Amino acid sequence: MNNHDSTQEILRHYGDVDESSRLGVGWFQLEQARTQELILRHLPPAPATIIDAGGGAGAYACWLAAMGYQVHLIDPVPKHVEQARAASSRQPEHPLASAEVGDARRLPQADATADAVLLLGPLYHLIDREDRLACLREARRVLRPGGLLWVAGISRFASLFDSLSHGFFADPAFAPILARDLKEGQHRNSTGNPLYFTDAFFHKPDELSGELLAAGFQLMELVAIEGPGCLARDFDRWWNDPAQRERLLSVVRRVEREPSLLGASSHLMAIGRK
Ligand SMILES: C[S@@+](CC[C@H](N)C(=O)[O-])C[C@H]1O[C@@H](n2cnc3c(N)ncnc32)[C@H](O)[C@@H]1O
């Protein structure tokens, strides 16, 4: 698929789903809480310059701007950029430094001008390894020496766990999609059902860390984002009780680096240093 086709597919998919409300529901709340703690674990204190490439509707970008960071958001979906600008205007004391339509493979920033780059989306949307490496090299270009990179990947096995727990494992239309996911990590959804996501690449843990290394980063961490937390029976009840939520987060943290569990997490986070 060429660049034009893949962008069209991304625009079509995000026309069907509302990315701006996603992180407020169910397991996505765990994804958000863990992503935030993994960012804060290494982020230098504000003020610092952060590029959120694939920043979607601005959930992390606006959260970071509210803490005093200079945050530039880039996303190829105009609807997301509009939503990010609207969210930014709701925090007039701490707006985004910028929010523009763009592509993580071609960042508008000059060389060595950013302290941190977030790629929490582009690496699973880019189905060709060369495009993923181009995106990582571009992040490296704009980072200052010592600057940090956070990269989210979807696990090779995420659609197996998801389909089993949500019940669409039984859908004959999903069977060939799952078979290809498991075989080569190349996710293709020609069913038209937005629940089955869009064209994507699903990483094995060592593939994600390998791509960071191939782009010239030093690997600081490779961890599970949700880990086994999504297995909690009656997740919402656990999540809505502060003490139970902390118990859940602490056990997820405890096993976040366990190599034999990494691929069982829906999302993986690799953190690199230039
Ligand atoms: C599931 S959303 C995640 C949004 C947000 N970063 C988060 O983690 O919640 C993935 C985002 O990646 C964006 N994206 C896809 N391909 C991209 C590319 N080549 N460059 C930049 N962003 C891209 C999509 O438009 C979408 O907004």
Side-chain angles (χ1 to χ4, degrees):
M1 189 179 275
N2 64 37
N3 281 351
H4 177 72
D5 291 341
S6 67
T7 304
Q8 290 308 313
E9 176 56 24
I10 284 166
L11 292 175
R12 193 198 55 72
H13 173 70
Y14 286 106
D16 289 343
V17 299
D18 180 27
E19 177 58 26
S20 71
S21 56
R22 181 179 70 88
L23 292 170
V25 200
W27 297 338
F28 296 118
Q29 298 167 97
L30 173 61
E31 175 191 329
Q32 181 176 33
R34 284 281 297 156
T35 300
Q36 289 179 332
E37 78 173 55
L38 292 169
I39 292 172
L40 292 182
R41 192 178 285 175
H42 298 282
L43 194 67
T49 299
I50 303 174
I51 299 169
D52 187 359
Y60 298 110
C62 288
W63 164 71
L64 290 162
M67 286 187 282
Y69 291 95
Q70 288 286 306
V71 188
H72 299 271
L73 179 143
I74 285 146
D75 200 280
V77 176
K79 175 175 89 169
H80 292 173
V81 173
E82 285 311 315
Q83 289 170 329
R85 287 180 183 156
S88 171
S89 70
R90 292 192 289 274
Q91 48 184 64
E93 306 292 308
H94 296 285
L96 295 176
S98 68
E100 300 294 336
V101 173
D103 190 304
R105 288 165 290 181
R106 290 175 294 277
L107 296 173
Q109 282 79 15
D111 294 1
T113 50
D115 301 294
V117 174
L118 307 181
L119 292 175
L120 309 177
L123 264 262
Y124 48 79
H125 278 296
L126 293 168
I127 56 180
D128 293 330
R129 185 170 190 271
E130 271 319 304
D131 281 325
R132 295 193 295 278
L133 291 183
C135 173
L136 290 165
R137 289 193 196 106
E138 187 64 348
R140 193 165 182 281
R141 178 186 70 74
V142 300
L143 280 169
R144 299 184 214 282
L148 296 175
L149 171 74
W150 284 257
V151 180
I154 296 180
S155 164
R156 169 76 68 95
F157 308 103
S159 61
L160 171 60
F161 290 111
D162 251 31
S163 60
L164 286 168
S165 56
H166 291 300
F168 52 88
F169 182 74
D171 178 358
F174 193 71
I177 300 177
L178 176 61
R180 189 166 176 196
D181 290 350
L182 295 176
K183 185 166 175 228
E184 53 188 29
Q186 291 290 352
H187 184 80
R188 299 290 183 279
N189 174 12
S190 52
T191 66
N193 181 348
L195 261 187
Y196 296 169
F197 201 43
T198 179
D199 295 348
F201 180 71
F202 294 168
H203 286 83
K204 285 188 177 175
D206 58 344
E207 289 171 332
L208 186 61
S209 51
E211 289 178 3
L212 257 77
L213 295 170
F217 284 95
Q218 174 194 338
L219 184 69
M220 298 179 65
E221 294 216 59
L222 176 68
V223 294
I225 296 184
E226 304 92 338
C230 299
L231 296 175
R233 183 178 293 208
D234 205 352
F235 175 86
D236 285 325
R237 194 170 50 78
W238 274 71
W239 194 254
N240 292 330
D241 175 328
Q244 299 289 55
R245 181 191 299 190
E246 193 40 50
R247 258 187 91 195
L248 190 62
L249 283 167
S250 88
V251 81
V252 167
R253 238 171 255 137
R254 186 159 164 206
V255 298
E256 67 179 12
R257 285 191 197 86
E258 170 54 45
S260 59
L261 288 179
L262 279 179
S265 179
S266 289
H267 292 89
L268 302 162
M269 180 79 82
I271 305 172
R273 183 189 293 280
K274 177 172 174 179

